[in-house]
Amino acid sequence: MWTVAADLSISSLSIGTYGTPRNQPPRGQGRGQGMGASGAKDGGTVGATDTVTLSDAARQQVQKLKQVDANVRQHEAAHQAAGGSHAGGASFTYTRGPDGKNYATAGEVPIDVSSESDPADTVAKMEQVKAAALAPADPSPQDMRVAAQADAAKLQAQAEQRRQSGDAAAGRAAAAYGAAQSLGYGQAGRGLTV
């Protein structure tokens, strides 16, 4: 999810659109967010007392889905931890395995990348956004795009900082010149002697 404001600054992006590797099984019918089709929390997992007899191929598929689920959750947790107050909650896409359980096979974390009113605050925020985007050991292409956009916003904020510093320096120079004029040092024939 991302919104583009009128000034072309990005106000919200999702990082960590970590998806299922291409060699994973296709998504099942039991796709949902938060609550699975069975209504149980954590993707609709079946209780430990339920047993399902699976073929060897199905057991291998379940093992792969478990590994993908662990990787997706770890990936999104890294984004959240590094994003701090700028990161939202993770959302997941689930695939139902042959055992009837839902496994997270993709996920994302929304992150606020809007500019702050003070350029220095924007610079600090964009550093944290970039760190959040690159926090997982295996950043996705979307993560890389968010990091690049954070770098661009940081550079823009740093340019604004330099412009404001230049304006402040010019203002101090004008004030000093004005003070010298008021003391009469700017008049012909009058100067300072050392």
Side-chain angles (χ1 to χ4, degrees):
M1 171 188 88
W2 57 293
T3 307
V4 179
D7 66 352
L8 299 179
S9 64
I10 307 294
S11 62
S12 179
L13 289 174
S14 292
I15 56 178
T17 51
Y18 185 88
T20 306
R22 298 227 187 267
N23 63 351
Q24 293 301 317
R27 293 183 182 168
Q29 297 173 358
R31 220 178 125 197
Q33 276 190 323
M35 300 285 279
S38 70
K41 286 189 177 190
D42 292 330
T45 56
V46 178
T49 58
D50 296 339
T51 58
V52 177
T53 305
L54 300 173
S55 68
D56 287 341
R59 277 196 299 273
Q60 288 176 351
Q61 186 179 10
V62 167
Q63 282 305 111
K64 287 180 184 178
L65 285 169
K66 285 180 180 180
Q67 183 62 45
V68 169
D69 182 273
N71 290 343
V72 167
R73 292 178 189 278
Q74 183 180 14
H75 184 102
E76 302 311 326
H79 287 311
Q80 283 184 298
S85 64
H86 305 299
S91 62
F92 299 99
T93 300
Y94 297 95
T95 297
R96 184 174 299 276
D99 59 353
K101 296 179 184 179
N102 286 336
Y103 297 93
T105 52
E108 63 183 21
V109 171
I111 189 155
D112 176 16
V113 295
S114 61
S115 296
E116 298 294 317
S117 58
D118 179 41
D121 293 339
T122 299
V123 168
K125 182 177 182 179
M126 291 307 127
E127 287 172 350
Q128 186 170 10
V129 166
K130 181 178 180 181
L134 300 177
D138 56 345
S140 70
Q142 174 66 13
D143 298 342
M144 301 302 282
R145 284 189 290 275
V146 171
Q149 289 173 343
D151 273 341
K154 178 182 169 183
L155 289 173
Q156 187 175 13
Q158 288 171 330
E160 178 64 20
Q161 278 181 308
R162 285 189 296 275
R163 188 189 65 73
Q164 286 179 356
S165 294
D167 290 349
R172 287 190 301 273
Y177 179 75
Q181 290 289 74
S182 68
L183 292 173
Y185 294 123
Q187 297 174 0
R190 296 192 65 189
L192 294 175
T193 51
V194 184

